[in-house]
Amino acid sequence: MEVIRSQKRTPSNDTVSNPKIPLYLTARPMEVRLEEFERFAVDRLRVLKGISDGLARGRNPKEMDDLVDTLWKEHMRDPDASVMSNKDIISHFVLRLVYCRSDELKKWFLNMETALFRHRFRLQNFEAQVLCSFFSFMMCLVIKMILSSCSQRAIVGEFGLPYKAVTGAELEIFDYLHGLKERLGQVVRSLGQNSPTATVFNDLIHYSFACYKKVPFEEVPDLVAGRRVLIQKGYFSFDNSDSFHFSYQLVSLVVTQFRSHISKALILTKRRERENDRLTPIVEALSTSYLGPDYSQVRIVHLKFVMYIHRYGSIEVVNFPPQSTEYAEISLKDIDQVAKSSFPLCMRHLFEKVREDHLLKQGGRMQLGLFLKAVGVKLDDALAFWRAEFTWKVGSERFDKEYAYGIRHNYGKEGKSTDYTPYACQKIISSAPGSGDHHGCPYRHFREHEEDVRKETS
Amino acid sequence: MTREEGESRGDDTMIDAPQQITNPKPEEFFNVHYLRIYYGNLFPYTDIHKWLSYGHDGKHPGCDEYYFGRREFSFTLENDVYLRYKSFKTASALEDSIKSCFPYKIDIGAVYSVDPDKRHAYSQTGTNVFTPVERELVFDIDITDYDDVRYCCSGADVCSKCWPLMTVAIKVIHTSLIEDFGFKHILWVFSGRRGVHCWVCDPKARRMTNEQRSAVAEYFRVYKGNENNARKVALMGYSLHPFLARSYVDFLKGFFEGELQANQSIFSSKDKYDKILEMISDQDIQSELREKWENSARSSSLSEEAISLTRWEQLKNTLQSKKHKAPTLRMCVEEIVFTFTYPRIDLEVSKHMNHLLKAPFCVHPKTGRVCVPIDPNNCDEFDPLAVPTLSQLIEEINSGGSKMDVDDDDDTDTSLLGKSIKFFRSSFLEPLLKSCKEEIESSYKTKIGKSKDSFSW
């Protein structure tokens, strides 16, 4: 294996020819200089924030692969391979210290690290594809199998995933290999991937059915959610003999494990964190320093402002109102005018619907209500606003009974008393408005843009 | 309903029904008096307790005798007083509590790490947290989510023309739960007015995390619509996923071309067919069909149903011949069928472990109907308008037609509610308890085996 790998290594030290993506399971004892401590972490943070920006703009997986590749090369590359790998590991663990400190930070870090891992893992497979195109078709297959199976299998093995090998007899119960292969082919076709290597890989499946493994559906929630796998009696058939079509299933499986591991690690880090005079100021500064487009982490100290990323990349900063007061507020009498001039499209749509229908379903109430709170509408004003609108339809008593509690809950005056933050673009984009709803992102969910959205994602 | 006196009743207790006027108003279907009688005599406390104990009845050494006590219940009383985090150590505690306040609604929540009514003693962080540990996988299908595709009723009404939408939903989801996910212990319950609930009670279902529940809910989700988009079902790719394909071939296609057309005649008027035409993304095809149908409308003497069927055939033929024009037309026919027939579940109900759901055998406050189980293998025969109401049950008691003690295992009970309870016991409860006991037995043996091993050096 070693021999083949070094022969194929390309001169430029690409991130992905470094076959090992660290899993950050344990931290080796290492000596780190203090300046490096901060510099490595800042560089990695730039990568993560770049990923966050890319996701918020709705980039498709292939674009994200390219973005991650670019970001990694820009910030994390080093001529010395061992330094590069140290930087990778050190920066990850430093950021764990920084981002374990609150639930919000944890969630962001987890999402970004998982995305980073997912795209690096995918890139590894694709690099192998590019290499193969220089050789004859059969040679490709052999090399590809070895290259990606040794690196991907190594990672899979490290996680110790619960596999259940399918016996020949069980396969017979599974409608015979023929029928199963056909149905797997259906899944593949339903995903619209028409690779010219499909026939070859179908034969691979045929001849290597010994590699079939049964995985319980609970291990791959995102594949189930997207209907990207065939599941039978609670298990899905997964072929790890390196068929291109199934490698992304492997990605999903591994990424889920990675995510759950990092999540647990963050919780442990928080518990064991010890204050250290040298590190504390650096660590604290990292989580609040401005390192690129970042809207969710800014601690709102003096001036409240909200930014929304519009579909074509322009950024709208809504500043309420441009005065030098400590906390910016909107009063009810201004709200119509402010809505027309400054609200982002999704909120404006919701606001207009409230004025029009005098009612709003739960999703819309949450999205608009939290937004109003963030831009400075006080609790009493908010109650007055919603009451004025809803009592057209439901009457004052019902309003008090059914809706007032929810509004006060948003402001943290009921129940758990959490100060809820407004929904970020990403959350709104990925929400699921159903019948009768008006929330969601207009660029994603509403009719006129359907064509464009479909073109982008298909 | 008249009061019957004397010899015809052999019961020890005489039940006085409140005086009735000849035309019962809706309020008469449900009131506190009836509730008292129902919860006093008819509600199957023992069966519910047996179910929710999942075999932990304290008889086997491997049992967790505190299991039932960690389950959250919530009561909604008269005047919308809402009581959460109620828990009970035993069946009789549950029974006594219900009989003391006669709640309008009873909801079942999750099994928590500690007794819900002791939750304040535990902090939110650290190792002793108050958090859900087990909860059935539940689904809620409500017919108001179909308002854009049913023309006979809207809102809270339901009739025999639109109820079949629920029937086909049950069939699709039930088949998938068994075939795709391998679940075995599934209970379908009528929600009392206009929908159905599904409780998946397998051990591995109860232990699913929120993320996994969300994944299953998304697996079932096809309809992504509201008034802001015309094409509410977008089936991408070259062919259907096997689950969707099976649902289409086995249930949806036949239902659409048969019962749905007969009941709803979805092509018979301009308003109706315009809505369907808008789902076709090609303007030329839309105008072609529109023209054809406008012309034929004037000169037709066929029934609504026949017109509807003819137009559907025309639409299919047109799309079949033109489907190469654009990738979005490839599965347009299937998309239309899915829009009208595919189940629309409420995702939020299924996604979170702590979501409360109405208990079976409760009574719906607006209709007075009992939330009885539905047999998924015979769901075509279920009629929501024939479900026993409180007043019918009371009348039956008064005329001596039903046994007072529902906890009897007597198979000869043919009363209105007795049939449902018998079905609950035989096809759901008994197989479930059998498998729970086996599981407790085997995990106990494993634990004993392990500790035995640790003694051998």
Side-chain angles (χ1 to χ4, degrees), chain A residues 189-190 192 218 221 224-225 227 229 231-234 353 401 432-435 437-438 445-447 450 454, chain B residues 80 178-182 204 211-212 215 218-219 221 225-229 231 236-239 241 244 328:
Chain A
R189 275 195 303 280
S190 82
E218 290 96 333
V224 169
R227 284 193 296 267
V229 286
I231 32 176
Q232 289 184 300
K233 297 293 184 196
K353 281 293 171 185
K401 209 187 294 189
S435 85
D437 285 327
H438 296 289
H445 295 124
F446 293 1
R447 183 204 306 222
E450 239 184 34
R454 248 185 296 114
Chain B
D80 287 333
I178 294 185
E179 296 298 328
D180 297 344
F181 292 98
K204 80 173 172 163
E211 194 193 357
Q212 291 158 349
E218 287 290 330
Y219 180 85
R221 184 169 168 233
N226 52 39
E227 65 182 55
N228 293 312
N229 49 13
R231 188 162 153 249
M236 308 296 206
Y238 292 83
S239 66
H241 183 277
L244 297 179
T328 48

Side-chain angles (χ1 to χ4, degrees), chain A residues 11 21 33 51 54 71 79 89 100 109 132 134 141 149 185 195 277 279 281 290 295 302 307-308 315 348 367 397:
Chain A
I21 305 176
R33 297 208 302 276
I51 293 177
L71 284 167
I89 298 176
C100 68
F109 180 69
C132 288
F134 292 121
L141 280 171
S149 74
S195 161
D277 286 330
L279 299 181
Y290 183 73
Y295 313 107
H302 294 295
M307 298 194 209
Y308 280 86
I315 300 169
R348 199 177 341 140
Q367 191 173 314
E397 215 186 86

Side-chain angles (χ1 to χ4, degrees), chain B residues 17-279:
Chain B
Q19 286 209 290
Q20 291 288 317
I21 51 176
T22 44
N23 299 331
K25 302 207 264 306
E27 305 84 61
E28 308 291 353
F29 289 145
F30 183 91
N31 58 56
V32 165
H33 299 291
Y34 289 175
L35 264 192
R36 279 174 196 267
I37 300 169
Y38 180 74
Y39 284 120
N41 304 289
L42 294 173
F43 185 80
Y45 295 99
T46 321
D47 295 278
I48 298 283
H49 174 256
K50 272 191 194 157
W51 164 34
L52 294 177
S53 301
Y54 290 102
H56 293 285
D57 51 9
K59 293 192 186 131
H60 188 281
C63 276
D64 174 4
E65 48 184 313
Y66 303 109
Y67 182 86
F68 184 75
R70 300 207 307 270
R71 167 83 65 173
E72 180 193 356
F73 291 87
S74 89
F75 292 171
T76 309
L77 308 179
E78 210 168 351
N79 299 321
D80 287 333
V81 173
Y82 186 58
L83 304 169
R84 262 198 85 168
Y85 298 112
K86 296 194 80 68
S87 62
F88 311 101
K89 290 202 168 49
T90 60
S92 44
L94 173 67
E95 188 172 345
D96 292 338
S97 179
I98 293 180
K99 282 181 181 170
S100 70
C101 53
F102 298 108
Y104 275 33
K105 274 206 322 169
I106 303 177
D107 292 319
I108 299 177
V111 178
Y112 284 83
S113 48
V114 291
D115 278 19
D117 53 17
K118 296 199 180 76
R119 65 194 183 283
H120 293 302
Y122 296 87
S123 59
Q124 279 300 315
T125 54
T127 46
N128 261 353
V129 205
F130 174 68
T131 185
V133 289
E134 277 192 20
R135 205 277 196 270
E136 295 76 7
L137 176 63
V138 292
F139 298 99
D140 177 6
I141 310 177
D142 191 320
I143 209 161
T144 48
D145 289 336
Y146 291 78
D147 276 355
D148 59 324
V149 294
R150 58 173 183 150
Y151 298 108
C152 49
C153 318
S154 73
D157 299 325
V158 76
C159 69
S160 57
K161 288 190 173 180
C162 48
W163 182 260
L165 285 167
M166 295 287 105
T167 309
V168 82
I170 294 178
K171 288 180 187 166
V172 168
I173 306 268
H174 189 77
T175 313
S176 178
L177 287 172
I178 294 185
E179 296 298 328
D180 297 344
F181 292 98
F183 293 129
K184 298 194 183 67
H185 304 285
I186 305 171
L187 176 70
W188 287 92
V189 185
F190 176 53
S191 77
R193 183 160 61 155
R194 59 188 198 209
V196 292
H197 296 157
C198 175
W199 298 75
V200 183
C201 305
D202 294 52
K204 80 173 172 163
R206 301 201 307 267
R207 287 172 207 144
M208 280 167 74
T209 63
N210 284 356
E211 194 193 357
Q212 291 158 349
R213 284 161 205 266
S214 188
V216 175
E218 287 290 330
Y219 180 85
F220 285 129
R221 184 169 168 233
V222 169
Y223 179 85
K224 293 182 190 181
N226 52 39
E227 65 182 55
N228 293 312
N229 49 13
R231 188 162 153 249
K232 305 177 208 281
V233 171
L235 299 171
M236 308 296 206
Y238 292 83
S239 66
L240 289 176
H241 183 277
F243 155 61
L244 297 179
R246 178 193 64 217
S247 307
Y248 182 72
V249 166
D250 288 351
F251 306 116
L252 302 180
K253 182 170 195 292
F255 174 69
F256 183 85
E257 292 180 345
E259 213 169 344
L260 187 76
Q261 294 280 28
N263 289 336
Q264 305 284 340
S265 306
I266 52 180
F267 289 92
S268 54
S269 76
K270 186 166 193 326
D271 288 332
K272 289 185 187 178
Y273 67 63
D274 262 342
K275 202 155 66 173
I276 301 179
L277 287 177
E278 274 165 25
M279 296 184 207

